[in-house]
Amino acid sequence: MIRFIHTKPLLVFSFFAALYPGIHPVPAKAEIEHHFFKTSDHVQLHYIEAGNGRTLVFVPGWLMPAEIWEPQIQYFSQRFHAIALDPRSQGASEIAKTGHDPETRARDIKELIDDLKVDSVVLVGWSLGVLEALTYIKSFGTGRLDALVLVDNSIG
């Protein structure tokens, strides 16, 4: 059973403010770092990160790279530890022969969170990333999620 997690109003407002930069001034550019980790099935995945504090993990849609989230990374890294994943076979991640199903890609998200050694995250999924975020909850529960943000996809 999927249980919906409500985000704090400030976080929701801040998320949408980052989507529409005219609402708030754009902060100074953060230094974005590039990292890789290996999944349990030996696929090398790439992610970008910046900032410190509560961890936000952004998952892009099908065929989109982590850099699609760069405006949000720049904005949120001023107050949070902001990370964007290149899912398998996308962006700078390794082209995988298998594992393009939601269950494996949800496991990749879990293994990223494990690799980061953080207790909890705010998980943000866009388009296909919504399905992967919901599959993450179905497979691994909500114990390590502070909040869930679903962007531009049906959840039917």
Side-chain angles (χ1 to χ4, degrees):
M1 170 180 252
I2 294 176
R3 173 177 106 206
F4 289 95
I5 303 166
H6 299 282
T7 58
K8 294 181 180 178
L10 178 61
L11 182 60
V12 172
F13 175 77
S14 296
F15 179 77
F16 289 107
L19 291 175
Y20 301 99
I23 295 175
H24 291 295
V26 177
K29 282 201 169 239
E31 184 69 32
I32 293 178
E33 298 177 4
H34 295 258
H35 300 282
F36 292 88
F37 76 100
K38 284 268 190 190
T39 64
S40 57
D41 62 343
H42 311 289
V43 176
Q44 186 170 319
L45 298 184
H46 172 258
Y47 64 94
I48 58 175
E49 72 175 326
N52 294 298
R54 187 177 186 183
T55 302
L56 310 175
V57 174
F58 295 88
V59 181
W62 181 241
L63 300 180
M64 292 291 118
E67 284 81 8
I68 197 81
W69 293 107
E70 191 169 327
Q72 288 75 26
I73 298 292
Q74 290 293 338
Y75 181 84
F76 286 114
S77 66
Q78 301 302 308
R79 292 186 48 210
F80 300 98
H81 180 208
I83 295 164
L85 174 66
D86 271 333
R88 56 180 57 219
S89 302
Q90 292 177 219
S93 288
E94 181 179 344
I95 304 296
K97 294 179 180 162
T98 62
H100 297 98
D101 55 281
E103 291 76 20
T104 303
R105 291 166 69 100
R107 187 186 70 216
D108 292 345
I109 295 168
K110 179 198 178 294
E111 291 177 2
L112 170 63
I113 295 168
D114 292 344
D115 190 72
L116 295 170
K117 296 176 178 45
V118 294
D119 293 329
S120 61
V121 302
V122 172
L123 183 57
V124 181
W126 168 55
S127 190
L128 182 61
V130 168
L131 178 59
E132 294 164 5
L134 292 172
T135 303
Y136 172 94
I137 291 171
K138 181 180 176 187
S139 300
F140 305 107
T142 59
R144 294 180 72 189
L145 297 184
D146 288 333
L148 176 64
V149 180
L150 307 176
V151 182
D152 197 27
N153 196 1
S154 68
I155 58 172

